[in-house]
Amino acid sequence: MYQLVVQQCIYLRQRDQAVAYRLISAHRDAFAEAVALMGLRLGFVDRHELCYVTQDGGTQSPMDLQETLFLLTLRHVYHTRASAGDLTPDGDALIDIAEFEESYKSLCHRDFDGRVDTLRTLLKMSARHGVARAVDAPEGDPQPFAIMIWPGIVEVLSEYALNRFGADLKARAVNAEAAPAAQESTS
């Protein structure tokens, strides 16, 4: 149960998650009831052999802007790849760093930090939640790694979550623009 709540997505194909997935899958109703007591909802995507939990309403802990934009970009890239039928047999989207940076810039209207260590840190955070991770770059590729986006990103960042992120970002932008205007009017 702890592993499910902390990681959000559990995959049968991940060696360190397979036992937990099998146990949860075999006792779906009991686990659904247990996580419901914590205000969470348990879901399964059988074709990708994954289970996930999402928060059922309530207050969610805020992410910083960089994490939010990073995850929104991953979700956008995954959606684009899935719409084009360009996924691996396991339902993953494999992209290179350049494609991520290009998508980030077009979606966020700003350049990504560009540092490899920043990207690695963000990918470690997303791997803990079962949505993406760094993988070895294809042979002969000069980039240090590639990005594997897992199908769980669709469940964790659902349309509801995307709308919530969008509203929060819009509110931040309005507040950021209002602050200088308020200072000017008091001067």
Short mmCIF file of all heavy atoms in Angstrom, two decimals, residues 48-115:
data_model
loop_
_atom_site.label_atom_id
_atom_site.label_comp_id
_atom_site.label_asym_id
_atom_site.label_seq_id
_atom_site.Cartn_x
_atom_site.Cartn_y
_atom_site.Cartn_z
N HIS A 48 -1.75 -1.90 -20.17
CA HIS A 48 -0.36 -1.53 -19.87
C HIS A 48 0.12 -2.13 -18.55
O HIS A 48 1.22 -1.83 -18.11
CB HIS A 48 -0.20 -0.01 -19.83
CG HIS A 48 -0.43 0.65 -21.14
ND1 HIS A 48 0.30 0.36 -22.27
CD2 HIS A 48 -1.33 1.58 -21.52
CE1 HIS A 48 -0.14 1.09 -23.28
NE2 HIS A 48 -1.13 1.84 -22.85
N GLU A 49 -0.74 -2.94 -17.93
CA GLU A 49 -0.43 -3.60 -16.66
C GLU A 49 0.11 -2.60 -15.64
O GLU A 49 1.21 -2.72 -15.12
CB GLU A 49 0.56 -4.75 -16.88
CG GLU A 49 -0.03 -5.84 -17.76
CD GLU A 49 0.95 -6.94 -18.06
OE1 GLU A 49 2.13 -6.65 -18.38
OE2 GLU A 49 0.54 -8.12 -17.98
N LEU A 50 -0.72 -1.57 -15.37
CA LEU A 50 -0.35 -0.58 -14.38
C LEU A 50 -1.54 -0.26 -13.51
O LEU A 50 -2.70 -0.37 -13.93
CB LEU A 50 0.20 0.69 -15.03
CG LEU A 50 -0.74 1.72 -15.64
CD1 LEU A 50 -1.05 2.83 -14.63
CD2 LEU A 50 -0.10 2.34 -16.86
N CYS A 51 -1.26 0.10 -12.27
CA CYS A 51 -2.29 0.62 -11.38
C CYS A 51 -1.79 1.96 -10.87
O CYS A 51 -0.58 2.22 -10.85
CB CYS A 51 -2.62 -0.35 -10.24
SG CYS A 51 -1.27 -0.74 -9.14
N TYR A 52 -2.71 2.80 -10.47
CA TYR A 52 -2.34 4.16 -10.07
C TYR A 52 -3.33 4.67 -9.03
O TYR A 52 -4.44 4.15 -8.90
CB TYR A 52 -2.33 5.09 -11.28
CG TYR A 52 -3.67 5.21 -11.95
CD1 TYR A 52 -4.57 6.22 -11.58
CD2 TYR A 52 -4.08 4.31 -12.92
CE1 TYR A 52 -5.81 6.31 -12.17
CE2 TYR A 52 -5.32 4.40 -13.51
CZ TYR A 52 -6.17 5.40 -13.14
OH TYR A 52 -7.42 5.49 -13.71
N VAL A 53 -2.91 5.68 -8.30
CA VAL A 53 -3.81 6.37 -7.39
C VAL A 53 -3.79 7.85 -7.75
O VAL A 53 -2.76 8.40 -8.15
CB VAL A 53 -3.43 6.19 -5.90
CG1 VAL A 53 -3.68 4.78 -5.45
CG2 VAL A 53 -2.02 6.62 -5.60
N THR A 54 -4.95 8.45 -7.63
CA THR A 54 -5.06 9.90 -7.79
C THR A 54 -5.88 10.43 -6.64
O THR A 54 -6.67 9.70 -6.03
CB THR A 54 -5.74 10.28 -9.13
OG1 THR A 54 -7.01 9.62 -9.21
CG2 THR A 54 -4.88 9.89 -10.32
N GLN A 55 -5.70 11.69 -6.37
CA GLN A 55 -6.43 12.30 -5.27
C GLN A 55 -7.86 12.59 -5.72
O GLN A 55 -8.08 13.08 -6.82
CB GLN A 55 -5.75 13.59 -4.83
CG GLN A 55 -6.28 14.11 -3.53
CD GLN A 55 -5.34 15.13 -2.90
OE1 GLN A 55 -4.24 15.32 -3.38
NE2 GLN A 55 -5.78 15.74 -1.84
N ASP A 56 -8.80 12.26 -4.86
CA ASP A 56 -10.22 12.49 -5.15
C ASP A 56 -10.62 13.83 -4.59
O ASP A 56 -11.13 13.94 -3.47
CB ASP A 56 -11.05 11.38 -4.48
CG ASP A 56 -11.87 10.60 -5.47
OD1 ASP A 56 -11.79 10.89 -6.67
OD2 ASP A 56 -12.60 9.69 -5.03
N GLY A 57 -10.37 14.91 -5.34
CA GLY A 57 -10.72 16.25 -4.87
C GLY A 57 -9.81 16.68 -3.74
O GLY A 57 -8.71 16.19 -3.57
N GLY A 58 -10.28 17.60 -2.94
CA GLY A 58 -9.50 18.08 -1.80
C GLY A 58 -8.34 18.96 -2.23
O GLY A 58 -8.18 19.29 -3.39
N THR A 59 -7.54 19.34 -1.27
CA THR A 59 -6.40 20.20 -1.53
C THR A 59 -5.18 19.35 -1.85
O THR A 59 -4.85 18.43 -1.12
CB THR A 59 -6.09 21.06 -0.29
OG1 THR A 59 -7.27 21.77 0.06
CG2 THR A 59 -4.98 22.03 -0.57
N GLN A 60 -4.55 19.68 -2.96
CA GLN A 60 -3.35 18.96 -3.34
C GLN A 60 -2.15 19.84 -3.07
O GLN A 60 -2.23 21.07 -3.15
CB GLN A 60 -3.42 18.58 -4.82
CG GLN A 60 -4.56 17.63 -5.11
CD GLN A 60 -4.58 17.15 -6.54
OE1 GLN A 60 -3.77 17.56 -7.34
NE2 GLN A 60 -5.52 16.29 -6.84
N SER A 61 -1.04 19.23 -2.72
CA SER A 61 0.15 20.01 -2.43
C SER A 61 0.65 20.65 -3.73
O SER A 61 0.71 20.00 -4.76
CB SER A 61 1.23 19.14 -1.81
OG SER A 61 1.55 18.08 -2.67
N PRO A 62 0.99 21.93 -3.66
CA PRO A 62 1.42 22.62 -4.88
C PRO A 62 2.82 22.20 -5.30
O PRO A 62 3.65 21.85 -4.48
CB PRO A 62 1.39 24.10 -4.47
CG PRO A 62 1.58 24.09 -2.99
CD PRO A 62 0.96 22.81 -2.50
N MET A 63 3.04 22.21 -6.61
CA MET A 63 4.37 21.96 -7.14
C MET A 63 4.95 23.31 -7.53
O MET A 63 4.21 24.25 -7.79
CB MET A 63 4.29 21.09 -8.40
CG MET A 63 3.92 19.67 -8.13
SD MET A 63 4.07 18.67 -9.61
CE MET A 63 2.65 19.20 -10.52
N ASP A 64 6.26 23.36 -7.62
CA ASP A 64 6.83 24.62 -8.07
C ASP A 64 6.62 24.75 -9.58
O ASP A 64 6.24 23.79 -10.27
CB ASP A 64 8.30 24.77 -7.67
CG ASP A 64 9.26 23.83 -8.39
OD1 ASP A 64 9.00 23.45 -9.54
OD2 ASP A 64 10.28 23.48 -7.79
N LEU A 65 6.82 25.93 -10.08
CA LEU A 65 6.53 26.22 -11.49
C LEU A 65 7.35 25.35 -12.43
O LEU A 65 6.82 24.83 -13.42
CB LEU A 65 6.77 27.70 -11.78
CG LEU A 65 6.46 28.17 -13.18
CD1 LEU A 65 4.98 27.97 -13.50
CD2 LEU A 65 6.83 29.64 -13.35
N GLN A 66 8.63 25.14 -12.12
CA GLN A 66 9.48 24.33 -12.99
C GLN A 66 8.97 22.90 -13.10
O GLN A 66 8.91 22.34 -14.19
CB GLN A 66 10.92 24.35 -12.49
CG GLN A 66 11.88 23.64 -13.42
CD GLN A 66 13.31 23.70 -12.93
OE1 GLN A 66 13.56 23.64 -11.73
NE2 GLN A 66 14.24 23.84 -13.86
N GLU A 67 8.60 22.28 -11.98
CA GLU A 67 8.06 20.92 -11.99
C GLU A 67 6.76 20.86 -12.78
O GLU A 67 6.53 19.94 -13.55
CB GLU A 67 7.81 20.43 -10.57
CG GLU A 67 9.04 20.17 -9.76
CD GLU A 67 8.73 19.87 -8.31
OE1 GLU A 67 7.61 20.17 -7.84
OE2 GLU A 67 9.61 19.32 -7.63
N THR A 68 5.91 21.85 -12.57
CA THR A 68 4.62 21.88 -13.26
C THR A 68 4.80 21.97 -14.76
O THR A 68 4.20 21.19 -15.52
CB THR A 68 3.77 23.08 -12.76
OG1 THR A 68 3.60 22.95 -11.35
CG2 THR A 68 2.43 23.11 -13.44
N LEU A 69 5.63 22.90 -15.21
CA LEU A 69 5.85 23.06 -16.66
C LEU A 69 6.53 21.82 -17.24
O LEU A 69 6.21 21.41 -18.36
CB LEU A 69 6.68 24.32 -16.93
CG LEU A 69 6.00 25.63 -16.58
CD1 LEU A 69 6.96 26.80 -16.82
CD2 LEU A 69 4.70 25.83 -17.35
N PHE A 70 7.43 21.23 -16.49
CA PHE A 70 8.10 20.01 -16.93
C PHE A 70 7.09 18.89 -17.16
O PHE A 70 7.06 18.26 -18.22
CB PHE A 70 9.15 19.61 -15.89
CG PHE A 70 9.79 18.27 -16.16
CD1 PHE A 70 10.73 18.13 -17.14
CD2 PHE A 70 9.44 17.16 -15.40
CE1 PHE A 70 11.33 16.89 -17.39
CE2 PHE A 70 10.03 15.93 -15.63
CZ PHE A 70 10.98 15.80 -16.63
N LEU A 71 6.23 18.64 -16.16
CA LEU A 71 5.24 17.57 -16.28
C LEU A 71 4.21 17.85 -17.36
O LEU A 71 3.80 16.94 -18.09
CB LEU A 71 4.56 17.33 -14.93
CG LEU A 71 5.45 16.68 -13.88
CD1 LEU A 71 4.76 16.66 -12.53
CD2 LEU A 71 5.88 15.28 -14.29
N LEU A 72 3.79 19.09 -17.49
CA LEU A 72 2.84 19.44 -18.55
C LEU A 72 3.45 19.20 -19.92
O LEU A 72 2.77 18.73 -20.84
CB LEU A 72 2.38 20.89 -18.41
CG LEU A 72 1.47 21.18 -17.23
CD1 LEU A 72 1.23 22.68 -17.12
CD2 LEU A 72 0.16 20.44 -17.35
N THR A 73 4.73 19.50 -20.06
CA THR A 73 5.41 19.26 -21.34
C THR A 73 5.50 17.77 -21.63
O THR A 73 5.22 17.33 -22.76
CB THR A 73 6.81 19.90 -21.34
OG1 THR A 73 6.67 21.31 -21.10
CG2 THR A 73 7.51 19.69 -22.68
N LEU A 74 5.86 16.97 -20.62
CA LEU A 74 5.90 15.52 -20.82
C LEU A 74 4.54 14.99 -21.24
O LEU A 74 4.43 14.16 -22.15
CB LEU A 74 6.36 14.81 -19.55
CG LEU A 74 7.82 14.98 -19.13
CD1 LEU A 74 8.09 14.21 -17.85
CD2 LEU A 74 8.77 14.54 -20.24
N ARG A 75 3.49 15.46 -20.57
CA ARG A 75 2.13 15.02 -20.88
C ARG A 75 1.75 15.39 -22.31
O ARG A 75 1.15 14.61 -23.04
CB ARG A 75 1.14 15.62 -19.86
CG ARG A 75 -0.33 15.32 -20.13
CD ARG A 75 -0.63 13.82 -20.03
NE ARG A 75 -2.04 13.55 -19.93
CZ ARG A 75 -2.88 13.46 -20.97
NH1 ARG A 75 -2.44 13.62 -22.20
NH2 ARG A 75 -4.15 13.19 -20.77
N HIS A 76 2.11 16.61 -22.71
CA HIS A 76 1.83 17.07 -24.07
C HIS A 76 2.56 16.22 -25.11
O HIS A 76 1.97 15.80 -26.11
CB HIS A 76 2.24 18.54 -24.20
CG HIS A 76 2.16 19.06 -25.59
ND1 HIS A 76 0.96 19.37 -26.20
CD2 HIS A 76 3.12 19.31 -26.50
CE1 HIS A 76 1.20 19.79 -27.44
NE2 HIS A 76 2.50 19.76 -27.64
N VAL A 77 3.83 15.95 -24.86
CA VAL A 77 4.61 15.13 -25.79
C VAL A 77 4.03 13.72 -25.87
O VAL A 77 3.90 13.16 -26.96
CB VAL A 77 6.11 15.08 -25.38
CG1 VAL A 77 6.87 14.06 -26.20
CG2 VAL A 77 6.73 16.46 -25.52
N TYR A 78 3.66 13.16 -24.72
CA TYR A 78 3.06 11.82 -24.72
C TYR A 78 1.77 11.81 -25.54
O TYR A 78 1.56 10.92 -26.36
CB TYR A 78 2.79 11.32 -23.29
CG TYR A 78 2.35 9.88 -23.29
CD1 TYR A 78 3.29 8.86 -23.24
CD2 TYR A 78 1.02 9.53 -23.40
CE1 TYR A 78 2.92 7.53 -23.28
CE2 TYR A 78 0.63 8.20 -23.44
CZ TYR A 78 1.57 7.21 -23.38
OH TYR A 78 1.19 5.89 -23.44
N HIS A 79 0.93 12.80 -25.33
CA HIS A 79 -0.33 12.88 -26.06
C HIS A 79 -0.08 12.99 -27.57
O HIS A 79 -0.74 12.31 -28.36
CB HIS A 79 -1.15 14.09 -25.58
CG HIS A 79 -2.40 14.30 -26.35
ND1 HIS A 79 -3.53 13.54 -26.15
CD2 HIS A 79 -2.70 15.17 -27.36
CE1 HIS A 79 -4.48 13.93 -26.99
NE2 HIS A 79 -3.99 14.92 -27.72
N THR A 80 0.88 13.81 -27.96
CA THR A 80 1.22 13.98 -29.37
C THR A 80 1.72 12.67 -29.97
O THR A 80 1.29 12.27 -31.06
CB THR A 80 2.30 15.08 -29.54
OG1 THR A 80 1.80 16.30 -28.97
CG2 THR A 80 2.66 15.29 -30.99
N ARG A 81 2.60 11.99 -29.26
CA ARG A 81 3.12 10.71 -29.75
C ARG A 81 2.02 9.65 -29.82
O ARG A 81 1.96 8.88 -30.78
CB ARG A 81 4.25 10.21 -28.84
CG ARG A 81 5.56 10.97 -29.00
CD ARG A 81 6.16 10.65 -30.37
NE ARG A 81 7.45 11.22 -30.55
CZ ARG A 81 8.60 10.58 -30.34
NH1 ARG A 81 8.62 9.35 -29.90
NH2 ARG A 81 9.73 11.19 -30.57
N ALA A 82 1.17 9.60 -28.79
CA ALA A 82 0.09 8.61 -28.78
C ALA A 82 -0.89 8.87 -29.92
O ALA A 82 -1.36 7.93 -30.58
CB ALA A 82 -0.64 8.63 -27.43
N SER A 83 -1.20 10.13 -30.18
CA SER A 83 -2.12 10.49 -31.26
C SER A 83 -1.56 10.09 -32.62
O SER A 83 -2.31 9.73 -33.52
CB SER A 83 -2.40 11.99 -31.26
OG SER A 83 -3.07 12.36 -30.07
N ALA A 84 -0.25 10.13 -32.76
CA ALA A 84 0.40 9.75 -34.01
C ALA A 84 0.68 8.24 -34.09
O ALA A 84 1.18 7.75 -35.09
CB ALA A 84 1.71 10.52 -34.17
N GLY A 85 0.38 7.51 -33.01
CA GLY A 85 0.65 6.07 -32.98
C GLY A 85 2.12 5.76 -32.85
O GLY A 85 2.57 4.69 -33.26
N ASP A 86 2.88 6.70 -32.29
CA ASP A 86 4.33 6.56 -32.20
C ASP A 86 4.75 6.19 -30.77
O ASP A 86 5.49 6.92 -30.12
CB ASP A 86 5.00 7.86 -32.64
CG ASP A 86 6.50 7.71 -32.82
OD1 ASP A 86 6.98 6.57 -32.90
OD2 ASP A 86 7.18 8.76 -32.86
N LEU A 87 4.24 5.06 -30.29
CA LEU A 87 4.58 4.56 -28.96
C LEU A 87 5.24 3.20 -29.08
O LEU A 87 5.05 2.50 -30.08
CB LEU A 87 3.32 4.44 -28.08
CG LEU A 87 2.53 5.71 -27.82
CD1 LEU A 87 1.26 5.39 -27.04
CD2 LEU A 87 3.37 6.74 -27.09
N THR A 88 5.98 2.81 -28.06
CA THR A 88 6.58 1.47 -28.04
C THR A 88 5.46 0.45 -27.81
O THR A 88 4.34 0.82 -27.44
CB THR A 88 7.62 1.36 -26.90
OG1 THR A 88 6.93 1.42 -25.65
CG2 THR A 88 8.68 2.44 -27.00
N PRO A 89 5.73 -0.83 -28.00
CA PRO A 89 4.71 -1.85 -27.72
C PRO A 89 4.17 -1.81 -26.27
O PRO A 89 3.04 -2.20 -26.02
CB PRO A 89 5.43 -3.17 -28.00
CG PRO A 89 6.49 -2.81 -29.00
CD PRO A 89 6.93 -1.42 -28.61
N ASP A 90 4.98 -1.31 -25.33
CA ASP A 90 4.55 -1.19 -23.94
C ASP A 90 3.74 0.08 -23.69
O ASP A 90 3.31 0.33 -22.57
CB ASP A 90 5.75 -1.20 -22.99
CG ASP A 90 6.40 -2.57 -22.90
OD1 ASP A 90 5.67 -3.58 -23.03
OD2 ASP A 90 7.62 -2.63 -22.67
N GLY A 91 3.59 0.93 -24.72
CA GLY A 91 2.82 2.16 -24.56
C GLY A 91 3.66 3.35 -24.12
O GLY A 91 3.12 4.37 -23.70
N ASP A 92 4.99 3.25 -24.20
CA ASP A 92 5.88 4.33 -23.80
C ASP A 92 6.18 5.25 -24.98
O ASP A 92 6.11 4.83 -26.14
CB ASP A 92 7.22 3.77 -23.30
CG ASP A 92 7.07 2.79 -22.15
OD1 ASP A 92 6.11 2.93 -21.37
OD2 ASP A 92 7.92 1.88 -22.04
N ALA A 93 6.54 6.49 -24.66
CA ALA A 93 7.01 7.43 -25.68
C ALA A 93 8.49 7.69 -25.40
O ALA A 93 8.84 8.13 -24.31
CB ALA A 93 6.23 8.72 -25.63
N LEU A 94 9.35 7.41 -26.35
CA LEU A 94 10.78 7.63 -26.21
C LEU A 94 11.14 8.88 -26.99
O LEU A 94 10.90 8.95 -28.20
CB LEU A 94 11.57 6.42 -26.73
CG LEU A 94 13.09 6.52 -26.64
CD1 LEU A 94 13.53 6.58 -25.17
CD2 LEU A 94 13.73 5.33 -27.34
N ILE A 95 11.69 9.87 -26.28
CA ILE A 95 12.06 11.12 -26.95
C ILE A 95 13.48 11.50 -26.57
O ILE A 95 14.01 11.05 -25.56
CB ILE A 95 11.10 12.28 -26.58
CG1 ILE A 95 11.16 12.61 -25.08
CG2 ILE A 95 9.68 11.95 -27.00
CD1 ILE A 95 10.45 13.90 -24.71
N ASP A 96 14.09 12.35 -27.38
CA ASP A 96 15.42 12.83 -27.04
C ASP A 96 15.32 14.19 -26.36
O ASP A 96 14.24 14.80 -26.30
CB ASP A 96 16.34 12.87 -28.27
CG ASP A 96 15.84 13.78 -29.38
OD1 ASP A 96 15.14 14.77 -29.09
OD2 ASP A 96 16.16 13.52 -30.55
N ILE A 97 16.41 14.65 -25.83
CA ILE A 97 16.43 15.90 -25.08
C ILE A 97 16.05 17.07 -25.97
O ILE A 97 15.31 17.97 -25.54
CB ILE A 97 17.81 16.11 -24.42
CG1 ILE A 97 18.07 15.02 -23.39
CG2 ILE A 97 17.92 17.49 -23.78
CD1 ILE A 97 19.49 14.98 -22.85
N ALA A 98 16.53 17.07 -27.20
CA ALA A 98 16.23 18.17 -28.12
C ALA A 98 14.72 18.27 -28.37
O ALA A 98 14.16 19.38 -28.40
CB ALA A 98 16.98 17.99 -29.43
N GLU A 99 14.05 17.14 -28.56
CA GLU A 99 12.60 17.17 -28.77
C GLU A 99 11.88 17.69 -27.53
O GLU A 99 10.93 18.47 -27.64
CB GLU A 99 12.07 15.77 -29.11
CG GLU A 99 10.58 15.76 -29.37
CD GLU A 99 10.02 14.39 -29.71
OE1 GLU A 99 10.82 13.44 -29.91
OE2 GLU A 99 8.77 14.27 -29.75
N PHE A 100 12.35 17.28 -26.35
CA PHE A 100 11.74 17.79 -25.12
C PHE A 100 11.90 19.31 -25.04
O PHE A 100 10.94 20.03 -24.76
CB PHE A 100 12.36 17.14 -23.87
CG PHE A 100 11.94 17.83 -22.61
CD1 PHE A 100 10.68 17.58 -22.07
CD2 PHE A 100 12.75 18.78 -22.01
CE1 PHE A 100 10.25 18.25 -20.93
CE2 PHE A 100 12.34 19.44 -20.87
CZ PHE A 100 11.09 19.18 -20.34
N GLU A 101 13.11 19.81 -25.28
CA GLU A 101 13.36 21.25 -25.18
C GLU A 101 12.53 22.03 -26.20
O GLU A 101 12.01 23.10 -25.89
CB GLU A 101 14.85 21.54 -25.36
CG GLU A 101 15.68 21.10 -24.17
CD GLU A 101 17.17 21.30 -24.35
OE1 GLU A 101 17.64 21.35 -25.51
OE2 GLU A 101 17.87 21.41 -23.32
N GLU A 102 12.40 21.50 -27.40
CA GLU A 102 11.59 22.16 -28.42
C GLU A 102 10.11 22.20 -28.01
O GLU A 102 9.46 23.24 -28.14
CB GLU A 102 11.75 21.40 -29.75
CG GLU A 102 11.00 22.00 -30.90
CD GLU A 102 11.18 21.17 -32.16
OE1 GLU A 102 12.35 20.87 -32.50
OE2 GLU A 102 10.16 20.83 -32.79
N SER A 103 9.60 21.10 -27.50
CA SER A 103 8.21 21.06 -27.03
C SER A 103 8.01 21.99 -25.85
O SER A 103 6.99 22.67 -25.75
CB SER A 103 7.82 19.64 -26.63
OG SER A 103 7.85 18.80 -27.74
N TYR A 104 8.96 22.03 -24.94
CA TYR A 104 8.88 22.91 -23.77
C TYR A 104 8.78 24.36 -24.22
O TYR A 104 7.95 25.12 -23.74
CB TYR A 104 10.12 22.69 -22.90
CG TYR A 104 10.10 23.44 -21.58
CD1 TYR A 104 9.62 22.84 -20.43
CD2 TYR A 104 10.58 24.75 -21.48
CE1 TYR A 104 9.61 23.50 -19.22
CE2 TYR A 104 10.56 25.43 -20.29
CZ TYR A 104 10.08 24.80 -19.15
OH TYR A 104 10.08 25.48 -17.95
N LYS A 105 9.64 24.73 -25.16
CA LYS A 105 9.65 26.12 -25.64
C LYS A 105 8.35 26.49 -26.33
O LYS A 105 7.79 27.56 -26.11
CB LYS A 105 10.83 26.35 -26.57
CG LYS A 105 10.99 27.81 -26.98
CD LYS A 105 12.26 28.04 -27.73
CE LYS A 105 12.42 29.54 -27.98
NZ LYS A 105 13.75 29.87 -28.43
N SER A 106 7.82 25.60 -27.16
CA SER A 106 6.59 25.92 -27.88
C SER A 106 5.38 25.94 -26.95
O SER A 106 4.47 26.73 -27.12
CB SER A 106 6.35 24.95 -29.04
OG SER A 106 5.98 23.68 -28.57
N LEU A 107 5.38 25.10 -25.93
CA LEU A 107 4.26 25.02 -24.99
C LEU A 107 4.31 26.12 -23.93
O LEU A 107 3.29 26.72 -23.61
CB LEU A 107 4.25 23.65 -24.32
CG LEU A 107 3.06 23.29 -23.45
CD1 LEU A 107 1.80 23.19 -24.30
CD2 LEU A 107 3.31 21.96 -22.75
N CYS A 108 5.50 26.40 -23.42
CA CYS A 108 5.65 27.33 -22.28
C CYS A 108 6.09 28.73 -22.70
O CYS A 108 6.13 29.63 -21.86
CB CYS A 108 6.66 26.77 -21.29
SG CYS A 108 6.25 25.11 -20.72
N HIS A 109 6.46 28.90 -23.95
CA HIS A 109 6.92 30.19 -24.46
C HIS A 109 8.14 30.70 -23.70
O HIS A 109 8.27 31.90 -23.44
CB HIS A 109 5.80 31.24 -24.44
CG HIS A 109 4.59 30.80 -25.16
ND1 HIS A 109 4.55 30.63 -26.54
CD2 HIS A 109 3.36 30.44 -24.71
CE1 HIS A 109 3.36 30.21 -26.89
NE2 HIS A 109 2.61 30.07 -25.81
N ARG A 110 9.01 29.79 -23.34
CA ARG A 110 10.27 30.12 -22.69
C ARG A 110 11.23 28.97 -22.91
O ARG A 110 10.82 27.85 -23.17
CB ARG A 110 10.10 30.39 -21.20
CG ARG A 110 9.57 29.18 -20.44
CD ARG A 110 9.60 29.32 -18.95
NE ARG A 110 8.63 30.29 -18.50
CZ ARG A 110 8.38 30.55 -17.24
NH1 ARG A 110 9.02 29.91 -16.32
NH2 ARG A 110 7.48 31.43 -16.89
N ASP A 111 12.52 29.24 -22.81
CA ASP A 111 13.52 28.20 -22.95
C ASP A 111 13.59 27.37 -21.68
O ASP A 111 13.41 27.89 -20.57
CB ASP A 111 14.90 28.81 -23.22
CG ASP A 111 15.01 29.40 -24.61
OD1 ASP A 111 14.36 28.87 -25.53
OD2 ASP A 111 15.72 30.41 -24.77
N PHE A 112 13.86 26.08 -21.85
CA PHE A 112 14.10 25.22 -20.70
C PHE A 112 15.46 25.59 -20.13
O PHE A 112 16.35 26.04 -20.85
CB PHE A 112 14.07 23.74 -21.12
CG PHE A 112 14.27 22.78 -19.98
CD1 PHE A 112 13.28 22.64 -19.02
CD2 PHE A 112 15.44 22.06 -19.85
CE1 PHE A 112 13.45 21.78 -17.95
CE2 PHE A 112 15.63 21.20 -18.79
CZ PHE A 112 14.62 21.05 -17.84
N ASP A 113 15.67 25.38 -18.84
CA ASP A 113 16.92 25.69 -18.15
C ASP A 113 18.11 25.21 -18.98
O ASP A 113 19.11 25.89 -19.07
CB ASP A 113 16.88 25.02 -16.77
CG ASP A 113 18.13 25.25 -15.97
OD1 ASP A 113 19.17 25.59 -16.54
OD2 ASP A 113 18.07 25.09 -14.75
N GLY A 114 17.99 24.05 -19.60
CA GLY A 114 19.02 23.56 -20.50
C GLY A 114 20.14 22.78 -19.85
O GLY A 114 20.93 22.16 -20.54
N ARG A 115 20.21 22.79 -18.54
CA ARG A 115 21.27 22.04 -17.86
C ARG A 115 20.85 20.58 -17.73
O ARG A 115 19.71 20.29 -17.35
CB ARG A 115 21.57 22.65 -16.50
CG ARG A 115 22.13 24.05 -16.59
CD ARG A 115 22.66 24.57 -15.27
NE ARG A 115 22.05 23.97 -14.11
CZ ARG A 115 21.38 24.64 -13.18
NH1 ARG A 115 21.23 25.94 -13.29
NH2 ARG A 115 20.88 24.02 -12.13
#
